[in-house]
Amino acid sequence: MQTLRAPTGDEMHRLYMMGYDAWGDGDTKAEHLLACETSEKYRAGEWFVWDLDGQPVASLLVLQQRYKLPPGSIGLAAVATDPDCRRRGYAYALIEAVINHFVEQQNTQAVFLHSDIDLNFYRRLGFEVAAPGSHCMVKKIATDFHFDQLPDYF
C-alpha cells in the first residue's frame, strides 16, 4: 500500500541519504548527515514521506515560515527518492499528495520549488518557470494567484 505520512525520527537519516548523491558535494556520508541534522532549513520545515508497505521511498520538505513566500503559498525543498526506488513515480505521487494535502488543509493557492534537475520533471506536474532564467518554479492552484517577487530561498 502507498500513502503520504510524516516520517518517524528514526527514519531521518534514511531521508537525508536519499539525496546524498545529488547534494553530498563531496562530503563523506557522516559529514552529509551532520550537515542535514544541523541544517536550519531542514529544521524549519515539515517533512513528508511517500510510504510503500511501511518504508519511506521518497521524501520532501515543505517550507512555510522561514522563507518569504507569497501569502497563500508553500515551498517544496529536498525532493528525493531512495536510489533503489527511482523511476517508479514515487516522487510524483508524493508531490501530488502533499499539494492536495495543503490545498485541502490550508487552501494553498500556489506551490514554489527550486529545480536542480531537468525542469521537465516538474513541468509534467504542472509547474512552470516562475521567472525567465530562474530555476524557481511555481504551480498555480488558483489561476488568479499573483506574486511580485520570487521567494527568497531560490
Side-chain angles (χ1 to χ4, degrees):
M1 186 167 101
Q2 298 180 32
T3 187
L4 175 70
R5 67 173 173 83
T8 66
D10 293 341
E11 294 173 328
M12 292 311 296
H13 279 189
R14 181 174 177 179
L15 303 189
Y16 298 151
M17 293 308 295
M18 286 182 187
Y20 175 67
D21 60 331
W23 305 307
D25 295 327
D27 289 346
T28 66
K29 290 180 180 181
E31 291 168 335
H32 176 72
L33 286 172
L34 180 61
C36 292
E37 289 170 348
T38 59
S39 167
E40 287 184 37
K41 177 172 88 172
Y42 284 8
R43 285 184 288 178
E46 182 178 4
W47 285 93
F48 290 89
V49 299
W50 192 246
D51 181 292
L52 176 63
D53 298 326
Q55 297 297 316
V57 293
S59 64
L60 62 74
L61 180 66
V62 175
L63 302 166
Q64 290 183 283
Q65 305 299 323
R66 185 169 185 256
Y67 297 96
K68 294 179 182 169
L69 293 160
S73 69
I74 61 171
L76 303 183
V79 178
T81 303
D82 185 295
D84 294 333
C85 298
R86 291 182 181 160
R87 301 198 181 284
R88 297 182 195 168
Y90 299 136
Y92 283 154
L94 173 63
I95 292 167
E96 288 180 332
V98 166
I99 290 171
N100 289 338
H101 170 80
F102 279 88
V103 167
E104 291 171 11
Q105 298 297 315
Q106 298 182 11
N107 194 30
T108 296
Q109 299 174 18
V111 180
F112 289 90
L113 60 79
H114 173 86
S115 178
D116 51 9
I117 62 171
D118 181 359
L119 299 178
N120 288 323
F121 178 88
Y122 295 110
R123 283 187 176 121
R124 288 189 290 262
L125 287 163
F127 285 84
E128 58 190 46
V129 174
S134 171
H135 288 262
C136 177
M137 299 188 80
V138 62
K139 178 175 181 167
K140 295 179 180 179
I141 311 302
T143 56
D144 61 345
F145 179 82
H146 176 74
F147 59 97
D148 295 322
Q149 63 186 48
L150 298 180
D152 70 352
Y153 76 100
F154 295 103

